């Protein structure tokens, strides 16, 4: 019998949001192929978003948004939708972090999202 594996769904990380037209925005993703729920940082020099990287020094070291749906920006910048502000609540188990961040780095990302009004539970 064939085994099927269900992937991540757009917005599957979201538990609650006040007004979708307020909490979400169309953004530009700088590079990479990212899945729904990817935690994003914002590149200071360009204003584009990329995967959150606690070791970076280009702005992406601070978590500022959560990607709504899958995006492929491997060939260059691509438009996407992201949860950029609250009030909103997201499921911590459905967030996607690049690499292997430590528990302290994940906690710092959760705190940074909370500063934007996005509560991680």
């Amino acid at each position: 019998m064939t085994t099927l594996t269900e992937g991540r769904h757009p917005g599957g990380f979201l538990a609650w949001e006040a007004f979708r037209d307020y909490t979400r925005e169309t953004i530009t993703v700088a590079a990479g192929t990212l899945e729904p729920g990817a935690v994003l940082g914002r590149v200071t020099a360009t204003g584009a978003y990329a995967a959150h990287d606690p070791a970076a020094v280009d702005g992406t070291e601070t978590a500022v948004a959560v990607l709504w749906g899958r995006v492929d920006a491997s060939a260059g910048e691509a438009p996407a939708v992201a949860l950029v502000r609250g009030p909103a609540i997201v499921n911590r188990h459905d967030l996607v972090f690049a690499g292997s961040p430590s528990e302290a780095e994940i906690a710092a990302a959760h705190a940074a999202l909370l500063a934007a009004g996005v509560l991680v539970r």
Side-chain angles (χ1 to χ4, degrees):
M1 173 177 237
T2 303
T3 301
L4 302 176
T5 302
E6 188 170 359
R8 297 184 177 275
H9 294 277
F13 59 88
L14 185 66
W16 176 84
E17 68 182 327
F19 306 104
R20 68 174 181 215
D21 293 333
Y22 177 73
T23 59
R24 304 179 208 170
E25 281 187 11
T26 300
I27 62 166
T28 299
V29 174
T33 300
L34 303 172
E35 295 297 319
V39 177
L40 305 174
R42 191 168 192 177
V43 180
T44 306
T46 65
Y49 291 76
H52 168 256
D53 180 1
V57 292
D58 62 355
T60 59
E61 67 273 13
T62 303
V64 297
V66 182
L67 186 65
W68 187 259
R70 187 176 192 282
V71 64
D72 183 2
S74 59
E77 292 185 344
V81 173
L83 180 70
V84 298
R85 71 181 68 81
I89 301 172
V90 298
N91 184 336
R92 70 183 296 123
H93 302 291
D94 290 329
L95 296 182
V96 178
F97 288 91
S100 299
S102 68
E103 288 299 319
E105 290 169 336
I106 291 172
H110 291 174
L113 289 172
L114 183 58
V118 178
L119 176 62
V120 179
R121 288 224 167 141

